[in-house]
Amino acid sequence: MPQFNTLTVAQAVDLLAQGGSTSEALVGDLLEAIRARDGAVGAYVHLDEADALRQARAADAQRRAGKLAPLLGVPIAVKDVINVAGQPCGCASRILEGYTAPYDATAIARLRAAGAVFLGRANMDEFAMGSTTENSAVKITRNPWDPSRVPGGSSGGSAAMVAADEALAALGSDTGGSVRQPAAFCGCVGLKPSYGRISRYGLTAFASSLDQIGPLTKTVADAALLLEVMGGADPLDSTAADLPMPDLAAALRQPDLQGLRLGLPREYFVGGMDAEVERAVQDAIRHCERLGARLTEVSLPTTKYAVAAYYIISCAEASANLARFDGVRYGRRAEDAGDPYEMYCRTRAAGFGAEVKRRIILGAYVLSSGYYDAYYLRAQKARTLIRDDFAVVFKECDALLAPVTPTPPYKLGEMLDNPLQMYLGDIFTVPANLAGNCALSVPCGFTAAGLPVGLQIIGPAFREDVILRVGHVYEQSAAWPRCAVKSG
Ligand code: GLN
């Protein structure tokens, strides 16, 4: 029976450093777990076993030769939207079928330099648009805690593989909650770094002013470890900020939450929320108080504009970003077209799924000359108000505590015919993207039916140290069970 697949990243680092095992054995155990479980879970869209083992053996050889690197031989899985040189990068879309990444994203290049091994590609909603991973053109992914339910999205494959011990950690991307929401639905940790903390170079763009790469992990400490490696300025992305990383290790050494003021935004605790989710989050908040935090109620009055502003801005940016998929430069091309215009149309008609088309059309509409002022410009103004709201509360609070989602994971199929209902489920996650804040999702219990619930910790931009400290102290003392699969 495989055993190394249950390790955290930090445990794997220690094990390998102490010579307790090899990267090859670790990857071997993960492959065994994947073979046994992934038929049912469906978290991976691509996995080249021979290549993963080759990378692992190369890392082992480097270690024998005396090389020191923080993640040497540690396998990491990657959402199918981030480029890893030589691996497919299909964004779970038909239009990128057969496309191989020609280069490493900066986050990947930094993990590679730190010695990481790239295990395989995680399923997702097509082009990261969705909240259930059901918009994948490849297949559905099931929630390992309850196979009749979705793992969340859009980084659903990344969350499911971590929750099922089919990966030690996986990368996702978060434009409006796509790291935090699947982490909450699958009972793992999800970090959305501040906008600009991690380079977006090599992350296939959905909405460039909102996108961030983020880790999905078994522990908060692992999220810190991966952030440390991936973060920092990048000449290839001018929006990657040239700011020093706070001392994350020091933040995680804090024994309690003494001296921290944590705000409870009134607008995040409203009617309509699932009662069990609300109870689990409230319990976690009381727990944080017992750990030394001072709680204060705060108000973010423009929260009510966030979902509308998010869908206008993200669709506008998506309609521009996805114009590049025209059959000329990437992936699939409709073959029997008479002229180039017909070729573009047929390629895009056949290549994009329904949700992606809906967003491209919506985005083109809100940017069109007759409607630009009425929709796009107003959404940008709302965005400014939302950001200003956060600036005010962060004058009196170090971080905010909130739910990640208003409900537990949906049943498979439940949201398919109701995109608007699905969009509304993003209410607690999109504000942090609109404002550029950092935010963390940590498991905070289960419903009576055994479905995971997430606590969200939102911090000011570039204060990942604060939210990681809160998450780590809470996680250590709450100690919720972490793997959805009990054996085999
Ligand atoms: N669920 C949101 C959406 O569908 C968020 C997606 C994301 O963060 N990539 O747009």
Side-chain angles (χ1 to χ4, degrees):
M1 202 156 79
Q3 21 173 327
F4 292 139
N5 59 310
T6 64
L7 297 178
T8 66
V9 171
Q11 287 167 338
V13 167
D14 287 347
L15 181 80
L16 295 173
Q18 289 155 11
S21 188
T22 60
S23 176
E24 185 177 7
L26 225 147
V27 168
D29 272 8
L30 280 161
L31 294 178
E32 202 180 324
I34 294 164
R35 269 184 237 120
R37 297 171 186 176
D38 206 50
V41 177
Y44 281 89
V45 290
H46 173 83
L47 178 61
D48 181 340
E49 295 198 4
D51 177 59
L53 288 166
R54 189 193 51 72
Q55 292 180 61
R57 280 192 291 268
D60 289 333
Q62 285 185 322
R63 188 178 293 281
R64 283 194 302 274
K67 177 171 172 171
L68 292 174
L71 296 174
L72 187 56
V74 176
I76 308 281
V78 181
K79 184 178 181 180
D80 199 28
V81 71
I82 303 169
N83 285 267
V84 176
Q87 294 193 4
C89 185
C91 300
S93 179
R94 274 193 302 272
I95 210 161
L96 281 173
E97 228 171 53
Y99 178 72
T100 300
Y103 65 93
D104 276 341
T106 296
I108 296 297
R110 289 186 182 169
L111 288 168
R112 203 189 284 286
V117 165
F118 298 103
L119 190 55
R121 312 286 300 169
N123 198 17
M124 54 183 279
D125 287 299
E126 184 177 6
F127 286 107
M129 296 174 184
S131 305
T132 65
T133 307
E134 292 167 299
N135 293 334
S136 167
V138 183
K139 60 179 174 185
I140 60 159
T141 300
R142 292 174 187 274
N143 190 313
W145 295 91
D146 176 350
S148 72
R149 292 180 187 267
V150 303
S154 63
S155 311
S158 302
M161 61 177 63
V162 172
D165 277 339
E166 295 180 26
L168 309 189
L171 299 188
S173 64
D174 192 312
T175 304
S178 279
V179 165
R180 289 160 287 158
Q181 185 258 25
F185 277 8
C186 288
C188 50
V189 172
L191 170 66
K192 184 203 90 72
S194 314
Y195 184 77
R197 176 61 87 192
I198 297 179
S199 167
R200 291 179 296 107
Y201 180 73
L203 165 67
T204 310
F206 163 9
S208 314
S209 75
L210 300 159
D211 298 340
Q212 267 294 293
I213 292 174
L216 291 109
T217 54
K218 300 178 188 179
T219 65
V220 175
D222 281 2
L225 236 141
L226 295 180
L227 175 66
E228 192 102 57
V229 171
M230 292 188 287
D234 178 10
L236 299 171
D237 173 10
S238 61
T239 66
D242 190 6
L243 288 171
M245 185 69 77
D247 189 340
L248 304 181
L252 297 194
R253 277 197 300 273
Q254 301 292 320
D256 55 33
L257 304 181
Q258 287 295 342
L260 288 181
R261 292 157 308 167
L262 301 181
L264 309 176
R266 194 175 303 141
E267 293 76 11
Y268 287 56
F269 297 90
V270 286
M273 213 164 109
D274 178 88
E276 288 186 279
V277 169
E278 168 142 39
R279 186 192 38 76
V281 172
Q282 290 291 1
D283 287 352
I285 289 169
R286 298 306 141 205
H287 200 114
C288 289
E289 191 173 29
R290 287 195 294 278
L291 290 166
R294 230 173 53 230
L295 305 179
T296 46
E297 193 176 301
V298 297
S299 177
L300 296 164
T302 54
T303 302
K304 56 179 181 284
Y305 306 128
V307 170
Y310 167 79
Y311 276 93
I312 290 172
I313 293 167
S314 65
C315 290
E317 294 185 21
S319 72
N321 277 325
L322 270 57
R324 74 192 64 184
F325 301 107
D326 55 7
V328 177
R329 286 164 290 185
Y330 308 91
R332 256 163 67 133
R333 170 182 306 170
E335 281 311 338
D336 42 1
D339 58 53
Y341 184 75
E342 195 190 335
M343 190 277 288
Y344 301 148
C345 296
R346 291 183 41 181
T347 297
R348 289 166 68 84
F352 290 133
E355 181 63 23
V356 174
K357 285 177 184 159
R358 174 161 37 238
R359 296 195 191 201
I360 291 173
I361 291 168
L362 190 67
Y365 178 82
V366 299
L367 288 174
S368 62
S369 63
Y371 296 97
Y372 184 94
D373 289 0
Y375 294 108
Y376 183 71
L377 202 62
R378 292 190 68 156
Q380 291 292 16
K381 288 178 177 169
R383 182 178 190 171
T384 302
L385 297 176
I386 290 164
R387 208 185 48 218
D388 292 349
D389 266 5
F390 277 110
V392 170
V393 302
F394 283 132
K395 285 205 180 89
E396 43 171 317
C397 298
D398 299 296
L400 306 174
L401 299 180
V404 182
T405 63
T407 65
Y410 316 125
K411 283 266 185 201
L412 281 160
E414 191 181 333
M415 289 292 156
L416 278 183
D417 299 326
N418 204 342
L420 206 58
Q421 189 62 33
M422 197 181 77
Y423 297 171
L424 291 173
D426 296 336
I427 177 66
F428 301 141
T429 50
V430 296
N433 300 78
L434 289 166
N437 299 324
C438 57
L440 180 69
S441 173
V442 287
C444 71
F446 296 86
T447 66
L451 301 171
V453 180
L455 169 71
Q456 185 174 200
I457 307 158
I458 306 171
F462 302 108
R463 291 311 304 270
E464 283 85 357
D465 54 329
V466 177
I467 59 171
L468 291 166
R469 170 183 169 187
V470 176
H472 179 70
V473 168
Y474 170 74
E475 170 192 78
Q476 297 302 300
S477 120
W480 294 104
R482 130 175 124 203
C483 176
V485 185
K486 294 293 158 253
S487 63

